[in-house]
Amino acid sequence: MDYGTLLAKLMRMSDEKWKRHANPWSVWTRFVILPFLAITIWSRILIGWWCLFPVILLLVWTMVNPGYFGVPVSTRSWASRATLGERVWLNKKSIAIPDHHSVFVHILNSVVAVGFIPLIYGLVSFEFFAMLLGLGMVIMGKLWFLDRMVWLYQDMAQSNEEYCSWLY
């Protein structure tokens, strides 16, 4: 089982929850979790162990967020289509996706994974530029990944009626 599928199972991503997660508010409020988490962890130098309280809140928000917002009025926004693409990506074992998407997604996920190295190092050692470099790599990699998910969704919706029905 891959990382994305594991996370989807942990968050109990039902059809209804996926519809709600396609709300752009869900996407963008979830997207800022990592920068807030980095700031919170960095703040331990000022507030000590009290930093764990906002860390826990952010982790809880990570789990609650996909089902928190309502179903969007339309799924035509970039953020909504990125979420639909993630859903297509996670369903790739049931419905095959083109190879050019798979290769690129693995490259982008590698960029994100490598970005976590300087991010974690910077947070542990209070090396601001290492933390900033890692955070930038993770954010840019994730944004590019989401853009690729939009492309994947658009390609797959052309040939799959179920996927096409998600767009309204």
Side-chain angles (χ1 to χ4, degrees), residues 69-88:
F69 297 95
V71 176
V73 174
S74 170
T75 56
R76 295 192 182 277
S77 73
W78 181 88
S80 294
R81 288 180 291 137
T83 302
L84 300 177
E86 284 183 300
R87 191 173 181 190
V88 168

Side-chain angles (χ1 to χ4, degrees), residues 109-165:
N109 283 336
S110 296
V111 168
V112 170
V114 168
F116 272 106
I117 295 168
L119 174 61
I120 291 168
Y121 170 77
L123 288 171
V124 169
S125 64
F126 291 108
E127 291 287 337
F128 181 74
F129 291 108
M131 185 267 307
L132 203 58
L133 171 68
L135 192 58
M137 287 177 68
V138 172
I139 288 172
M140 294 307 293
K142 183 64 177 177
L143 274 173
W144 202 348
F145 169 84
L146 291 175
D147 194 57
R148 192 64 183 215
M149 291 297 100
V150 171
W151 184 0
L152 171 63
Y153 174 73
Q154 289 172 177
D155 282 357
M156 295 299 291
Q158 291 176 3
S159 61
N160 184 291
E161 283 185 36
E162 179 186 359
Y163 294 163
C164 188
S165 73

